[in-house]
Amino acid sequence: MNKYSLGKYLSDYFLRYIPSRMNYSDNTIKAYRDTFTVFFRYCMEVLHLRIEKLSITDINKDLIENFLNWLVNEKEYSLRTRNQRLAALQSFFRFLQIEAPEYLDVCNTILSIKSKKVPNTDMTYLSIPAIKKLLATPKSKTKEGKRDLAILTLLYDTGARVQEIIDLNLCDLKLSPPATVKLLGKGQKVRIIPIMPQTTKIINTYMNNYQLTDKCNLAVPVFFNKQRNKLSRAGITYILKKYFEEARKENYILFPSKISPHSLRHSKAMHLLEGNVNLIYIRDFLGHASVSTTEIYAKSNPELKRKAIEEASSNVLPQETLTANDKEVLLDWLKELI
């Protein structure tokens, strides 16, 4: 066995195994590839190892754990990102178990590394008044404002993941009644989402302004930058934060301290729940594989909890009624306070 065969196995893994055998999405493949890019940079810059000389047996449990600690302590990655990097590395070593069983011991020690427990954080979402304020912020008379309003409106109205909006092509839009949008989600799963008349009008205005109406059947991106390339995650995040900060300056009480594109997805899910939409429908709307994922919205919504407690209590607790004397005493007490 050639000592320096790491490159061969990595090529097989990225070019053959995960695209065809595992059917991973392009975004997952990119994320896994980025993990190895960061890992090799750590080996070169921190450990001063020559990548072309790096062998499989050089990569052991201690090296991986030191790399993960470096991500958190030096690069200030979150525990969630640290766990995602670990998952990418372990996926390769699961592949290596089968392709090169002579490295089974090395693989097993790396696969024994545990993920770190991520502390629960409050889910960030906006109220309906906050969404209205946010969507009223883009200057709809400008060309850029029309595009930005279309992006934000579609993100909220469809509850789409940011990557689903990035990958959206003109041929995925059906703007004649009943208007729908076709989203390509995780695992290459397609779902058809209805869009509201107000959203349809905003998208039509944007498309007319950018002269896209004669290209509706072409596989070109709906949203793009000045170079006519797809917008990036960073680009959409920048657009959202720009208007979020502007809206928050005018009414900071309405808004949380920070936001991300996923917050609009959370907001849509919460508003559907508050509108008494069944969890099963919300699961399908969001493209969740399991309803247990959708249940986190019900658990995170204090208003739903309050209503449930009130309904349960009203059937059990005795009804309290104030006598005339009780009301007099209460009024006197309130007058003293005032």
Side-chain angles (χ1 to χ4, degrees):
M1 176 69 63
N2 181 3
K3 181 183 177 183
Y4 306 117
S5 57
L6 177 60
K8 170 186 175 298
Y9 287 114
L10 277 173
S11 295
D12 284 349
Y13 175 73
F14 278 107
L15 299 178
R16 176 181 59 83
Y17 183 71
I18 57 177
S20 56
R21 292 280 297 278
M22 300 302 292
N23 198 28
Y24 284 1
S25 68
D26 290 343
N27 293 322
T28 300
I29 294 171
K30 288 176 185 176
Y32 280 25
R33 182 195 62 198
D34 290 346
T35 293
F36 278 90
T37 299
V38 176
F39 174 66
F40 288 142
R41 187 177 296 126
Y42 166 78
C43 291
M44 288 189 297
E45 297 176 2
V46 178
L47 303 182
H48 306 293
L49 297 173
R50 294 175 62 184
I51 299 304
E52 68 272 17
K53 295 292 184 181
L54 196 64
S55 70
I56 293 171
T57 53
D58 291 328
I59 305 175
N60 53 41
K61 183 178 180 180
D62 288 341
L63 175 58
I64 297 296
E65 287 184 331
N66 289 336
F67 165 66
L68 296 172
N69 291 334
W70 174 77
L71 290 178
V72 175
N73 299 327
E74 300 297 326
K75 306 303 287 184
E76 298 183 348
Y77 280 31
S78 68
L79 289 180
R80 192 181 302 277
T81 304
R82 178 257 186 207
N83 291 342
Q84 290 170 346
R85 299 298 193 196
L86 173 61
L89 292 168
Q90 289 181 331
S91 175
F92 169 70
F93 283 96
R94 287 193 185 91
F95 157 79
L96 196 61
Q97 279 181 319
I98 301 169
E99 296 293 314
E102 62 268 30
Y103 295 120
L104 189 61
D105 187 54
V106 174
C107 296
N108 285 340
T109 58
I110 292 173
L111 293 173
S112 70
I113 300 173
K114 302 295 184 184
S115 295
K116 296 286 186 181
K117 186 175 181 181
V118 179
N120 291 327
T121 56
D122 292 336
M123 183 183 295
T124 302
Y125 63 95
L126 304 181
S127 64
I128 290 177
I131 288 289
K132 288 181 178 179
K133 178 66 177 175
L134 177 67
L135 297 182
T137 305
K139 296 177 176 60
S140 57
K141 291 184 179 180
T142 67
K143 190 173 182 179
E144 186 181 75
K146 288 181 173 68
R147 182 202 65 177
D148 295 348
L149 177 60
I151 291 171
L152 298 182
T153 303
L154 201 59
L155 264 175
Y156 170 73
D157 196 24
T158 62
R161 303 175 180 92
V162 65
Q163 191 63 48
E164 293 171 346
I165 295 296
I166 291 170
D167 294 337
L168 197 63
N169 290 325
L170 289 174
C171 56
D172 297 322
L173 294 174
K174 176 183 172 294
L175 298 180
S176 58
T180 60
V181 59
K182 182 171 71 174
L183 298 176
L184 182 64
K186 290 183 177 180
Q188 303 297 300
K189 293 180 180 177
V190 174
R191 64 188 192 279
I192 306 297
I193 302 297
I195 50 178
M196 296 297 100
Q198 303 95 313
T199 303
T200 306
K201 184 178 179 181
I202 289 169
I203 295 173
N204 271 321
T205 301
Y206 156 71
M207 291 178 62
N208 287 329
N209 209 253
Y210 278 77
Q211 299 179 339
L212 298 173
T213 51
D214 59 337
K215 302 176 183 178
C216 293
N217 294 322
L218 298 181
V220 296
V222 175
F223 302 113
F224 44 82
N225 56 24
K226 292 179 180 178
Q227 290 74 41
R228 292 271 167 168
N229 296 322
K230 285 183 180 180
L231 287 174
S232 64
R233 286 173 174 266
I236 290 183
T237 301
Y238 171 79
I239 290 169
L240 171 61
K241 287 186 175 180
K242 178 176 72 172
Y243 295 111
F244 170 77
E245 290 168 3
E246 187 177 333
R248 193 171 186 270
K249 282 181 183 177
E250 295 183 14
N251 194 339
Y252 73 93
I253 296 176
L254 270 180
F255 297 93
S257 59
K258 59 182 181 179
I259 199 172
S260 71
H262 217 66
S263 303
L264 298 187
R265 178 173 165 86
H266 291 328
S267 302
K268 183 66 175 185
M270 287 297 191
H271 300 160
L272 290 174
L273 267 175
E274 290 168 0
N276 296 319
V277 176
N278 190 288
L279 272 177
I280 300 297
Y281 297 139
I282 298 176
R283 176 201 65 186
D284 295 340
F285 182 86
L286 296 176
H288 287 159
S290 169
V291 74
S292 60
T293 306
T294 317
E295 285 174 346
I296 64 171
Y297 294 106
K299 295 175 182 177
S300 300
N301 191 314
E303 182 63 17
L304 291 178
K305 292 177 182 177
R306 183 188 65 78
K307 288 180 179 178
I309 292 170
E310 284 183 351
E311 289 175 4
S313 299
S314 64
N315 295 326
V316 177
L317 298 178
Q319 294 292 324
E320 294 278 349
T321 56
L322 292 176
T323 64
N325 186 57
D326 290 334
K327 291 179 180 178
E328 287 293 333
V329 172
L330 181 59
L331 285 172
D332 290 340
W333 178 70
L334 288 171
K335 289 175 184 177
E336 290 179 7
L337 288 178
I338 297 170

